[in-house]
Every structure is written in structure tokens, then in C-alpha cells.
Amino acid sequence: MQSNGAGQGQESSELPCLNSAQNGESSSSAGGTHSNGLLSNADNGNGVGTSNGSSVGPCSGTSATSTASGSEVGSLKKKKRLSQTEEDVIRLIGQHLHGLGLNQTVDLLMQESGCRLEHPSASKFRNHVMEGEWDKAENDLNELRALMHSPNAIVRMKFLLLQQKYLEYLEDGKVLEALQVLRGELTPLKYNTDRIHVLSGYLMCSHADDLRAKAEWEGKGTASRSRLLDKLQTYLPPSVMLPPRRLHTLLRQAVELQRDRCLYHNTKLDNNLDSVSLLLDHVCSRKQFPCYTQQILTEHCNEVWFCKFSNDGTKLATGSKDTTVIIWQVDPESHQLKLLRTLEGHAYGVSYLAWSPDDTYLIACGPDDCSELWLWNVQTGELRTKMSQSHEDSLTSVAWNPDGKRFVTGGQRGQFYQCDLDGNLLDSWEGVRVQCLWCLSDGKTVLASDTHQRIRGYNFEDLTDRNIVQEDHPIMSFTVSKNGRLALLNVATQGVHLWDLQDRVLVRKYQGVTQGFYTIHSCFGGHNEDFIASGSEDHKVYIWHRRGELPIAELTGHTRTVNCVSWNPAIPGLMASASDDGTVRIWGPAPFLDSQEADGLNVSVDMPALCKYLRKSTSTLSLGPAASSRCLQMDGAY
């Protein structure tokens, strides 16, 4: 592209700017074109912005309507030339202002900068489309043809124009005219025959509302024509006509990128720019992340082997070596947990739990020497099924089918069953030593890690199996993301690995965690499952951003191995961890944030309420000596 220098007297596909030789004066001619390239209201649609219909280069040596004198040209050479980036920014600002209706401001900006918002032919085309002057808009395509990179795009643009023309005729009740467009103009294009068949069916619509409903169309008017123009603009180079709302798109992308790179961003992405400040970079404080102990649940009297939030996030189930399962209720406002009910009788202890898809049932499995599986009704606390196929079985893992009517279970002694809710055996796979199970959303495929350091996919309908993941060390446990694409593995002596199940490749190895031959369960968590958390044999909970190998948080507090971590699926700032120290810790944001650490929120602390909270939470909140002393001082003051 020749951004500066003399024009060649012919049309170019790179024409965003006028020559600064105009020195701030409008380049309007008999055609009535604004200096920014958009047609004025007085334009009859026939002007092109030049006296002879041809365009000049963006920074040519002659004006579109007049020739600069020699002295003027000499003075212009001293004027600073705009770079391509500067020209682009001016055009983006001009387009945004034009969208706000500040057309006089746009004219002044373009005149003073010497730039043009869009090509005059594109301006004519825009106006003719918005006015519904379809014949003129079709003629404009011939002028735009030379400016387009792909000549075939003209046919597509013509098809879109004629489709709008056809629908507007139908809405106005002009059936014969619509039929003529369909037969005489759309069909001869020999483009998108299937769509033409669909359009022909609209001739049977009895009234305008029926047409709009069947065609999923806004109807004749500004809305549908604006949408049409957005589609048409995609075929034009940006030097001729900017993509719609380009500045808004760039700003939204910038905000999304900042959020994407924020290590602690854990809230839903809002694409509405009105919800953020464009004057500051996006930063989330670590104090808003679930790094702080909110509660310590001490009701279990032995090692806690497993914990899992329900699918709706309202409950937490914990299983322990003390032979009990405890169901905890999550308060929707305070996010505090209270004991709902205790399920007893698991003679071997509870090492694995699985909620049914609708959270009605909970299945509990035991350790290696347990041949029983317990299916509880969580709502009533009643045992629905106690299943045991053989005393030689080892039922240590379970997974629900998405239909909620079946489940699969297995263990390391070669058992692999599919059963119904009453424990009846539906199918079995012989000789598969199962370590961990997961049912995919297709309702057919079951993933199973086995003693051969691999994960295989088993199809119980056509009885086929295939290898998906192969590791060099034993896979102690694994879990799968909600979309079924990623698998998170805890690998003996290696730590936490992330695999892409579709491409069957190892994506990332996360560092920091201590993983021997104990079974430790990790999890996805946070909004959009952007984070990964895992227990560890060094008594810590590790959290990583999914895209980074180094931990962004190491949570301390447990005094023995952390066996399992569960992230609340409905409350992104709530997480639970279960440990051999006999406790379950509930992690959340810092209880109180000052105004500078609340990410722009004005947070004021009610001191009496704070003291009341501290008095109420002394049995569940872990406080150091200094903090306890300070709390007593505050309590005395209030």
C-alpha cells in the first residue's frame, strides 16, 4: 500500500486517508460527500466524492475536487505525515463517534487529520442499503468490485441483497414482485440452491408475522438492514469499509485478554464493557481467591479419605476411615457448612464417593479389601442398595452414567460391572483391574485407569475398548473436565498431569505437589474450570492456573497428608480439602477486604459485626496467637 506520495488517478484497495493537502477543508463536491467519506443527507446516491467518478489515493498529491498550488504543496511537505497506525486509530475513533451520532465531530476530525473514514463508493453503498434502494445498491457493487480482494465475494453480496429485497417484497404483500426476484434475479446467480428452496417456501406465509417467525427475520426496517450491512461488510477490505463496531470489538478483546492473563480471576466473564473500567488494567487480588481457611470441620474421628461437593453445590459429602459418611449443608449466603446427616455402617471405611447427576443419590465405596458398595438416598438418609457381587471383589471406585439410572464400579482384583439402582448386574467386563472410573457424556463410553499405567475407553454397548492415555507410572486417580476434553491425573511419584483426551497428548505437568504411592484426588475448579487443585503428602493444598505449571497458591493448615480436594461447582470461591489429620478444611476468600484490595469495590467493615462473627466462629476458624489477641482487643472495645 502506498500511504503517502502522488496519486495515480485510479482506484486502489487501500484508501483510508485523504491527502493532508486539503488542510482541514472539506472535499465535498457536487455529489455531496462529507469529508469523512460518508454521504451527506442531501446526497442523491449518485455522487462518488470525485468529479469524474474515480478515486484518489489516501495521501495523494492532488485533492479530489481541486489541485493544490505549488506553494501549498511545498508547505505540506513540512507537515508531519501520519503513520499507518495513527491513521487506523483516527478511523476507529471516527467510526465510534459516527455510531454515537456525532457526525459533525467526525467531519471535523477527518478534515483536520486528512483521513477518510471509508471509501466514497462504500459510503454510497451503505446509504443505499439502509434506504432500501436495492437497484442502486446493486450498481454500487460494480464500483466496489475493483476494491475487493476476492471477486467471488460479489456474488455472495448480491445474494444477500436480493434475499433482503425478496423478503421485504413478501412482507409488503408484493408477491408477484417477490416471485420475480426469486426467479429472475436470485436463481440465475446459481449460488446456494438450498437456501433458494427455503426462500421459495416463504411464499406460502399467510401474513407478515408468519413470515418473520419462519424466516427468523426482524422484518423490514433499520434493524434487519443494519444486520444485513454487518454481513456485507465482512466481504469488504477494512481500508474500504471498517468492520462494524471495530473499536468496541478491540476494547472487549483487550479486557478479555487481561482477564485471561489474571492469575486469580475467578468470576464470570462479562462481555459488556459498561461493567468494567477502561481506565485501569484488570487485576484480581489474591485475597479474593479461596486461599483462606473459613471453617475446620472436626466431626470425623479418624482419617478423612474423600470429599465431594454435590453437582448443584448445595451439599458436601465426606467419607472417613471412621466408617461414616457425613453430609454437610452449604449456606447459600454465608457459605458456612453445617452438619445435615450422618450415614453409618461402612465397616471398611469410605474411600470414594459419587453423587448421582441429580444429587438424589450418593454411592460410597471402601478401600481395597472392601467388596461392598452402598447407595444412599441423600434426601431421606435411607440406604437404597447395598451391593456385593462376590466376597472376593474389591469395589473401590464408581462412576454414574449421565442418565442417572446406571452406574459402573470396579476394583483392582479384576471386577468391572455396570449396574442399575437396585444393584442388579447389567454388564461386566472380565479381567480389567480398575483403579478409577469416569463416564463420558455420550452415555456409552467409560474411562478406566488400570494397573497397566493407562486409561482406556470401554464401550458397554458394542463391547469395544481402546487405549487413550499411556503413562510411565501408575495412575492413582483421575478426573475429567465438564466438557469431556481434559483429564487430570495423579500419577505415582510424578504428581499431577493434564491430558487432552481428544488429541491424546500430555498437555502439562504441574510442579510442587508431593505424590508417592498414596491415592490423592485432584480436581478442576473455578469459573470455566480455569484452575486445578490437588492435595499432597507434604500436608499442603496446591492450586495452579490451568495454563501454568507453577502453583499460584500453596495452602497450609493440615498437619498430615491431604487426600482429596473438591471445588464447589456453583460457588467458585469455595473449596474443601480432606486430610489424614481427621479434619476437613473449607477454603474461601479473605473474610474482610480493605477498599484497595477489593478490586475497586468500596468495602467498609462493621466492627461490632466483625466481633460478633469472630465470637461465633471461634470453634471453626483457625487463628494464630497474634490474630486471637487482636480479636480479643477488638471484642473488648465493642
Side-chain angles (χ1 to χ4, degrees):
M1 182 188 72
Q2 182 181 359
S3 60
N4 292 287
Q8 304 300 318
Q10 60 185 5
E11 288 190 338
S12 166
S13 63
E14 305 287 350
L15 303 175
C17 287
L18 296 175
N19 191 323
S20 56
Q22 295 173 15
N23 200 19
E25 294 185 5
S26 172
S27 61
S28 60
S29 64
T33 310
H34 281 287
S35 63
N36 61 21
L38 297 175
L39 296 183
S40 65
N41 293 332
D43 183 23
N44 59 9
N46 297 320
V48 190
T50 61
S51 58
N52 58 4
S54 63
S55 300
V56 292
C59 298
S60 60
T62 58
S63 170
T65 56
S66 62
T67 304
S69 66
S71 60
E72 289 173 331
V73 172
S75 63
L76 284 170
K77 291 182 179 178
K78 301 178 183 178
K79 191 172 183 179
K80 179 182 179 295
R81 290 179 176 177
L82 297 176
S83 67
Q84 185 60 53
T85 300
E86 290 169 335
E87 294 174 1
D88 292 345
V89 171
I90 289 173
R91 294 182 67 209
L92 291 172
I93 294 173
Q95 184 193 43
H96 184 70
L97 294 175
H98 179 70
L100 297 176
L102 304 176
N103 295 327
Q104 292 183 354
T105 304
V106 176
D107 285 344
L108 184 59
L109 174 63
M110 295 302 151
Q111 291 172 21
E112 188 171 0
S113 65
C115 290
R116 180 169 55 208
L117 186 58
E118 59 185 24
H119 194 279
S121 297
S123 300
K124 280 200 312 173
F125 181 63
R126 177 195 300 276
N127 282 8
H128 290 154
V129 169
M130 293 306 295
E131 294 298 326
E133 297 178 321
W134 307 117
D135 293 338
K136 292 182 179 180
E138 193 172 341
N139 290 333
D140 294 336
L141 290 179
N142 296 325
E143 296 181 17
L144 293 171
R145 184 188 300 270
L147 306 176
M148 300 175 64
H149 298 313
S150 173
N152 295 331
I154 289 292
V155 176
R156 302 187 187 101
M157 296 176 72
K158 199 170 186 178
F159 186 89
L160 292 173
L161 282 175
L162 293 174
Q163 177 180 252
Q164 179 80 10
K165 179 181 178 180
Y166 169 76
L167 292 173
E168 291 195 6
Y169 274 149
L170 282 182
E171 186 180 69
D172 291 339
K174 299 178 180 179
V175 179
L176 293 179
E177 289 86 344
L179 189 60
Q180 175 59 34
V181 172
L182 186 67
R183 291 179 175 177
E185 300 182 68
L186 276 168
T187 303
L189 290 178
K190 297 180 180 179
Y191 174 76
N192 203 346
T193 306
D194 292 340
R195 179 60 180 167
I196 290 179
H197 290 161
V198 173
L199 292 174
S200 63
Y202 298 153
L203 288 167
M204 305 303 296
C205 294
S206 56
H207 49 78
D209 291 339
D210 187 27
L211 171 66
R212 287 191 289 266
K214 289 183 178 179
E216 297 180 352
W217 181 58
E218 296 93 334
K220 179 180 178 179
T222 302
S224 64
R225 291 173 182 174
S226 295
R227 189 180 295 273
L228 168 64
L229 196 59
D230 288 348
K231 294 179 181 178
L232 293 169
Q233 280 183 283
T234 61
Y235 297 103
L236 294 171
S239 57
V240 176
M241 180 183 287
L242 285 173
R245 296 173 292 279
R246 182 59 183 160
L247 181 59
H248 185 278
T249 299
L250 290 173
L251 292 174
R252 189 182 70 250
Q253 290 174 350
V255 170
E256 290 175 356
L257 180 62
Q258 288 187 17
R259 286 172 169 170
D260 199 40
R261 291 181 174 178
C262 178
L263 290 179
Y264 299 108
H265 186 76
N266 193 27
T267 56
K268 184 178 180 181
L269 295 178
D270 189 350
N271 291 327
N272 184 5
L273 290 180
D274 294 336
S275 64
V276 299
S277 172
L278 299 177
L279 307 180
L280 296 171
D281 287 344
H282 173 84
V283 177
C284 287
S285 169
R286 186 180 187 273
K287 292 190 175 182
Q288 297 170 265
F289 206 66
C291 296
Y292 302 85
T293 300
Q294 305 283 9
Q295 276 183 279
I296 303 176
L297 309 179
T298 60
E299 277 72 5
H300 284 294
C301 57
N302 210 324
E303 298 173 359
V304 186
W305 288 339
F306 200 82
C307 63
K308 185 69 175 178
F309 280 105
S310 59
N311 297 292
D312 62 7
T314 62
K315 297 177 182 67
L316 174 72
T318 57
S320 171
K321 186 179 180 180
D322 66 8
T323 73
T324 67
V325 173
I326 298 181
I327 308 297
W328 308 84
Q329 184 74 45
V330 180
D331 188 285
E333 296 182 0
S334 69
H335 299 169
Q336 293 285 299
L337 276 69
K338 63 179 181 179
L339 194 151
L340 181 62
R341 60 173 45 92
T342 301
L343 311 176
E344 300 176 332
H346 305 83
Y348 295 90
V350 178
S351 62
Y352 196 84
L353 296 165
W355 291 89
S356 64
D358 62 359
D359 294 327
T360 300
Y361 298 106
L362 182 72
I363 295 179
C365 297
D368 290 343
D369 51 354
C370 179
S371 61
E372 299 173 344
L373 177 148
W374 301 57
L375 192 155
W376 294 91
N377 185 316
V378 180
Q379 308 297 331
T380 63
E382 297 176 351
L383 179 66
R384 167 156 182 171
T385 304
K386 181 179 178 182
M387 189 193 90
S388 179
Q389 295 295 327
S390 169
H391 292 294
E392 297 179 356
D393 285 351
S394 174
L395 303 182
T396 58
S397 184
V398 67
W400 284 89
N401 189 286
D403 63 12
K405 300 177 181 179
R406 297 170 289 163
F407 61 86
V408 291
T409 183
Q412 292 194 28
R413 297 178 184 173
Q415 297 78 34
F416 190 8
Y417 305 132
Q418 181 171 225
C419 308
D420 63 16
L421 295 181
D422 295 320
N424 299 315
L425 185 64
L426 302 178
D427 295 290
S428 66
W429 212 289
E430 298 297 332
V432 180
R433 299 179 182 272
V434 172
Q435 178 71 26
C436 193
L437 295 166
W438 191 275
C439 290
L440 294 184
S441 57
D442 62 5
K444 303 176 183 178
T445 307
V446 179
L447 302 183
S449 60
D450 57 28
T451 54
H452 296 283
Q453 305 169 0
R454 64 189 180 183
I455 295 177
R456 293 179 64 81
Y458 297 87
N459 190 313
F460 275 92
E461 291 191 0
D462 56 22
L463 300 180
T464 59
D465 61 312
R466 58 193 176 97
N467 203 41
I468 297 178
V469 170
Q470 182 67 60
E471 283 278 1
D472 296 328
H473 297 79
I475 301 171
M476 307 307 293
S477 68
F478 75 93
T479 186
V480 178
S481 60
K482 290 179 180 179
N483 61 11
R485 178 70 184 264
L486 301 173
L488 193 62
L489 284 61
N490 281 78
V491 183
T493 73
Q494 302 299 301
V496 182
H497 293 180
L498 183 69
W499 279 78
D500 187 312
L501 297 177
Q502 181 174 313
D503 296 335
R504 302 184 190 180
V505 295
L506 177 62
V507 177
R508 195 162 287 111
K509 296 181 179 181
Y510 297 101
Q511 302 178 22
V513 67
T514 302
Q515 170 86 55
F517 288 90
Y518 289 108
T519 299
I520 292 176
H521 300 272
S522 57
C523 68
F524 293 95
H527 249 300
N528 200 33
E529 295 190 322
D530 284 334
F531 303 98
I532 286 169
S534 177
S536 176
E537 292 179 19
D538 63 2
H539 314 166
K540 297 179 182 178
V541 174
Y542 287 84
I543 302 177
W544 301 267
H545 198 287
R546 200 169 68 189
R547 293 186 304 275
E549 295 183 355
L550 297 177
I552 62 173
E554 299 178 16
L555 312 186
T556 60
H558 286 295
T559 58
R560 293 183 63 187
T561 296
V562 181
N563 299 307
C564 184
V565 179
S566 179
W567 209 305
N568 192 298
I571 307 172
L574 195 63
M575 188 172 63
S577 59
S579 170
D580 281 349
D581 64 12
T583 68
V584 176
R585 282 186 176 250
I586 306 301
W587 307 89
F592 299 96
L593 304 175
D594 60 42
S595 58
Q596 293 181 348
E597 294 169 328
D599 198 21
L601 298 176
N602 293 320
V603 180
S604 59
V605 178
D606 185 340
M607 297 308 293
L610 171 59
C611 294
K612 180 180 179 181
Y613 169 82
L614 293 172
R615 287 196 301 270
K616 181 180 178 181
S617 305
T618 52
S619 62
T620 58
L621 201 62
S622 178
L623 300 173
S628 300
S629 175
R630 178 59 179 155
C631 291
L632 291 175
Q633 294 175 13
M634 293 164 57
D635 198 4
Y638 291 91

